[in-house]
Amino acid sequence: EDLHEETRKALEGVRERKSEDIEGAWRRYKLYMDGSGGGPDAEPSWAVAILAERWDGGDEFIGVIGEEVAKEFVYEGVYDSFWLGGVEKAYACVAELTAAIWGLLWCMQADPILPCEMHADTLLVVGIAEARYFTQSLGSISETLRQLCLMAQQTLQVEWRHVKAHSGDAWNECVDTVA
């Protein structure tokens, strides 16, 4: 699938990083997260674009992670919860929450000094992350995100932001395409 024009422009503006450029050059991490409900030939999936904002205001592209939403399963009568974010039935909201979980996990393993700015194009994710919403209809995945947010608050500065879907934001369009 073709990249959105704004994503293509943003990727063209990415400069090659050298290890000596990185130390102390970044102001914050910026993550963009999205999920897809799948379709007739595709399973629900998620993606996270990871950037670092430089002190001069520019962004450096670190990379993209993503995958299909993992399904929980029962083997010989025993429930297997090995897959973090795994669900019995996956759909778009679950894919969005899964992206937020993996994005937050990425931040938790990164440099704890740098704040993380998390961008999601669904208010549900932002609301759950900020403890403004909770829904039992999504099962344990919303509780998993909320618990990870509470853990992250102990050592990280995390800010959640809503970005309007399909509005031309380069990095939101990027994760929309990948998911």
Side-chain angles (χ1 to χ4, degrees), residues 12-108:
E12 287 171 0
V14 171
R15 67 180 175 92
E16 184 177 339
R17 284 183 283 134
K18 297 182 175 90
S19 60
E20 60 270 14
D21 293 340
I22 295 172
E23 189 67 33
W26 293 344
R27 183 173 176 241
R28 80 179 87 218
Y29 293 117
K30 293 164 60 173
L31 283 76
Y32 288 79
M33 301 154 291
D34 200 11
S36 165
D41 299 324
E43 291 292 322
S45 56
W46 58 272
V48 179
I50 305 162
L51 299 105
E53 181 183 314
R54 295 188 311 267
W55 283 102
D56 66 9
D59 291 329
E60 292 194 20
F61 179 69
I62 295 174
V64 175
I65 56 175
E67 183 59 79
E68 288 183 357
V69 174
K71 302 284 196 325
E72 296 174 337
F73 62 94
V74 176
Y75 179 72
E76 294 184 3
V78 178
Y79 169 75
D80 185 344
S81 61
F82 174 76
W83 298 106
L84 180 61
V87 293
E88 189 174 325
K89 178 158 175 43
Y91 43 96
C93 288
V94 170
E96 299 272 358
L97 290 167
T98 302
I101 287 169
W102 286 104
L104 191 56
L105 285 170
W106 187 91
C107 285
M108 292 170 79

Side-chain angles (χ1 to χ4, degrees), residues 161-177:
R161 295 187 176 204
H162 177 253
V163 59
K164 188 174 184 201
H166 310 292
S167 64
D169 182 288
W171 300 111
N172 188 63
E173 298 294 346
C174 174
V175 291
D176 183 64
T177 300

